[in-house]
Amino acid sequence: IDTYPVVGDPRFALSVTYGALGQNDDATLPSDFILHPVYPNPFNPSTLIRYQLPQEARVTINIYDMMGRTVRTLVRSETQIAGYRQVMWNATNDLGQPVSAGMYLYVIQAGEFKDTRKMVLMK
């Protein structure tokens, strides 16, 4: 058992270090346009769509059924700055009504970049 130190006596030491800019992976910008697979997939009732933008771009994200009909527009021609982005889809159409179980396509258009992936809604 030790006595409590006298007021003003140091009890702990704080060591501070620093690194060069750009070494923090969380602070870096993506190098490519990428549309990631949704998570979870299959999903019910919602899923997360992640994408990355290496530069500012006008972004549109649409959900289509297998007949090619637009089910939902999640992002409508919105200018977004570079970075890591995500948007949630709660399996509803543009009117807010639930959609039926099945396979859907999600499509991103960001500047000249365009990509399509599949996802499955299970009920």
Side-chain angles (χ1 to χ4, degrees):
I1 298 177
D2 200 9
T3 60
Y4 192 80
V6 178
V7 174
D9 283 351
R11 190 141 190 219
F12 301 99
L14 176 62
S15 177
V16 178
T17 60
Y18 65 93
L21 290 176
Q23 288 186 348
N24 182 354
D25 289 336
D26 293 335
T28 60
L29 293 175
S31 58
D32 295 312
F33 286 100
I34 296 178
L35 177 61
H36 295 281
V38 295
Y39 182 81
N41 191 21
F43 68 97
N44 184 13
S46 61
T47 191
L48 187 66
I49 299 170
R50 295 180 307 115
Y51 57 100
Q52 56 193 57
L53 307 172
Q55 62 195 36
E56 183 178 288
R58 184 166 294 279
V59 177
T60 299
I61 299 176
N62 288 313
I63 309 293
Y64 297 95
D65 64 16
M66 295 311 291
M67 299 297 290
R69 295 176 295 222
T70 303
V71 173
R72 180 82 187 260
T73 298
L74 296 174
V75 179
R76 186 182 313 273
S77 192
E78 176 183 309
T79 300
Q80 297 182 351
I81 61 172
Y84 300 91
R85 305 273 176 253
Q86 61 187 28
V87 62
M88 182 78 69
W89 183 44
N90 62 358
T92 58
N93 63 21
D94 281 332
L95 301 175
Q97 301 163 331
V99 298
S100 59
M103 187 176 298
Y104 292 88
L105 302 173
Y106 58 108
V107 179
I108 186 170
Q109 176 78 46
E112 298 298 314
F113 173 75
K114 188 172 186 176
D115 197 7
T116 303
R117 290 186 176 255
K118 297 176 189 174
M119 60 184 157
V120 177
L121 170 61
M122 293 182 69
K123 293 207 176 185

